Amino acid sequence: MNNYKITLLKGDGIGPEIVNQAVKVLDKAADKFGFAVTYDEALLGGCAIDATGVPLPEETVAKCKASDSVLLGAVGGPKWDNQPGNNRPEAGLLGIRGALGLFANLRPSVIFGPLKSASPIKDDIIGDNMDIMIVRELTGGIYFGERGRKEVDGQPAAWDTEQYTVSEVERIARVAFDLAMKRGKRVTSVDKANVLESSRLWRETVIRVSKEYPEVELNHMYVDNCAMQLVRNPKQFDVIVTSNIFGDILSDEASMIAGSIGMLASASLSGGKLGLYEPIHGSAPDIAGQNIANPLATILSVAMMLRYSLNQQEAAEAIEAAVAKVLETYRTPDIYEEGLQKVSCEEMGDLVCAQL
């Protein structure tokens, strides 16, 4: 029997509530599909600042590196708004990505049939099976480039640097092409090559890597056009690969096309099996402790973990099917519709387990 070690970073706000429900579902899947899971907990974000003074303790990094995978809830909240930038909860997120070498962020934007009416996009535009995978480069680009303040014409100014090396682009491109080979065999590379030199290098490199994947159709799109096309005709996309800042923006746009940010999972991967899995929504401190948070994005993050890190494809598909079935009748308050049954965070976890 395979025995996997998972590090839990429950984080802040609703993080502990939603992670607890996801663990419950993972345990049920392990029992059903014949593998075992053991857990270790560590601190990240605001809770780590409160306990240790820093958002990412060294002990947390060590525990994550010693595990098969990492499940994260959410971090941050107004309690820590007065912390300096390098000691805010979000700095812990950037730190753990760098420490674990998590250069590829996978954000699926999928519409579950029962939630189709929640999308702000017309039915005839989104169709019956919108399924987009956005692959975002996560450890390079403008978020990690040199930055500073200076004086220009006698007034304060600031600057940030967008920089990519060929090897950084090559490795994220291969992630996208490998995923496309298992999906619809279409990759759209998004850049701003008509203006930015970093984007011109990006495009040249992606074209060269594409020659290793002759079965995959490669298209290029400027980021402003992609933002428009996601709303105009999202069905045209299969896999989108793009830089850190463009991926940050486009993936949030795609999440709202899917109808609810509370439903969307994500994976952050290194070159090996180790990955960090988390919902894309925030810590929602205004509803923390009320047992009304939606745990489904975290539960679907567990499904991604099973697929991409633990090689338990059947279990991943079973969890996704269970979520889709439960949504036909039950909803947490954030996605509630008249005529359905409103349930709590804990009840939603129990329902997915029962469906499994």
Side-chain angles (χ1 to χ4, degrees):
M1 177 186 290
N2 290 319
N3 191 333
Y4 304 107
K5 183 179 179 182
I6 309 300
T7 296
L8 304 177
L9 307 175
K10 295 184 178 181
D12 311 314
I14 62 171
E17 300 168 60
I18 56 179
V19 169
N20 288 343
Q21 300 312 307
V23 166
K24 191 161 58 178
V25 172
L26 180 54
D27 286 340
K28 178 63 72 172
D31 182 61
K32 179 179 176 66
F33 291 97
F35 59 91
V37 184
T38 56
Y39 302 99
D40 196 1
E41 292 193 28
L43 298 175
L44 179 77
C47 61
I49 294 172
D50 290 346
T52 70
V54 295
L56 179 60
E58 292 183 7
E59 180 184 11
T60 296
V61 175
K63 286 184 175 183
C64 290
K65 287 183 174 180
S67 64
D68 293 300
S69 200
V70 181
L71 181 63
L72 170 65
V75 301
K79 178 180 178 181
W80 303 281
D81 280 350
N82 293 327
Q83 289 284 331
N86 63 353
N87 205 58
R88 290 174 64 95
E90 295 78 9
L93 276 179
L94 294 177
I96 196 66
R97 290 168 181 168
L100 301 183
L102 305 174
F103 67 87
N105 181 237
L106 276 54
R107 279 200 183 185
S109 183
V110 179
I111 292 185
F112 286 85
L115 281 179
K116 192 175 177 182
S117 61
S119 174
I121 307 299
K122 294 178 180 179
D123 284 359
D124 61 335
I125 294 177
I126 59 174
D128 294 326
N129 56 350
M130 192 192 86
D131 183 356
I132 302 169
M133 177 66 78
I134 296 180
V135 180
R136 168 190 170 192
E137 200 289 322
L138 201 59
T139 56
I142 199 166
Y143 291 166
F144 288 86
E146 293 184 7
R147 67 198 62 193
R149 298 286 183 99
K150 58 184 180 181
E151 190 172 287
V152 177
D153 297 330
Q155 59 183 322
W159 55 274
D160 299 272
T161 305
E162 168 85 352
Q163 175 178 287
Y164 274 108
T165 64
V166 167
S167 60
E168 286 176 320
V169 181
E170 286 177 340
R171 66 183 184 179
I172 195 68
R174 288 194 176 95
V175 170
F177 283 109
D178 286 339
L179 282 169
M181 286 293 293
K182 300 174 183 177
R183 293 169 51 95
K185 296 186 178 180
R186 288 178 291 119
V187 169
T188 302
S189 177
V190 176
D191 57 40
K192 194 63 177 170
N194 58 334
V195 176
L196 301 177
E197 192 63 34
S198 58
S199 281
R200 286 189 272 272
L201 176 70
W202 179 283
R203 183 173 291 206
E204 294 165 7
T205 307
V206 171
I207 290 172
R208 188 171 64 254
V209 172
S210 72
K211 300 185 187 304
E212 302 171 16
Y213 301 85
E215 296 178 55
V216 178
E217 174 189 341
L218 172 63
N219 296 296
H220 302 277
M221 194 172 286
Y222 296 143
V223 63
D224 43 350
N225 185 35
C226 184
M228 179 180 69
Q229 294 295 331
L230 276 169
V231 176
R232 178 179 176 272
N233 181 21
K235 292 181 293 183
Q236 70 183 282
F237 297 108
D238 177 24
V239 175
I240 295 173
V241 61
T242 192
S243 66
N244 205 338
I245 189 169
F246 294 161
D248 192 3
I249 296 165
L250 292 175
S251 58
D252 278 2
E253 180 187 10
S255 74
M256 292 316 298
I257 294 171
S260 173
I261 201 168
M263 289 296 302
L264 297 180
S266 75
S268 298
L269 305 178
S270 63
K273 286 291 185 181
L274 179 62
L276 184 148
Y277 299 84
E278 60 180 311
I280 72 168
H281 59 69
S283 62
D286 55 317
I287 62 169
Q290 298 178 40
N291 195 26
I292 60 174
N294 184 348
L296 291 178
T298 318
I299 290 170
L300 291 168
S301 296
V302 163
M304 293 188 75
M305 176 191 295
L306 290 165
R307 177 173 288 115
Y308 295 114
S309 286
L310 307 186
N311 196 29
Q312 294 287 342
Q313 179 74 22
E314 191 177 2
E317 292 175 354
I319 289 175
E320 290 163 349
V323 168
K325 187 66 178 176
V326 168
L327 284 171
E328 293 177 2
T329 307
Y330 303 97
R331 304 289 174 86
T332 46
D334 61 309
I335 53 173
Y336 176 72
E337 294 180 38
E338 287 293 331
L340 300 175
Q341 295 188 42
K342 188 182 293 185
V343 297
S344 69
C345 177
E346 187 171 1
E347 287 170 332
M348 182 59 82
D350 290 338
L351 288 162
V352 175
C353 286
Q355 187 62 43
L356 267 178

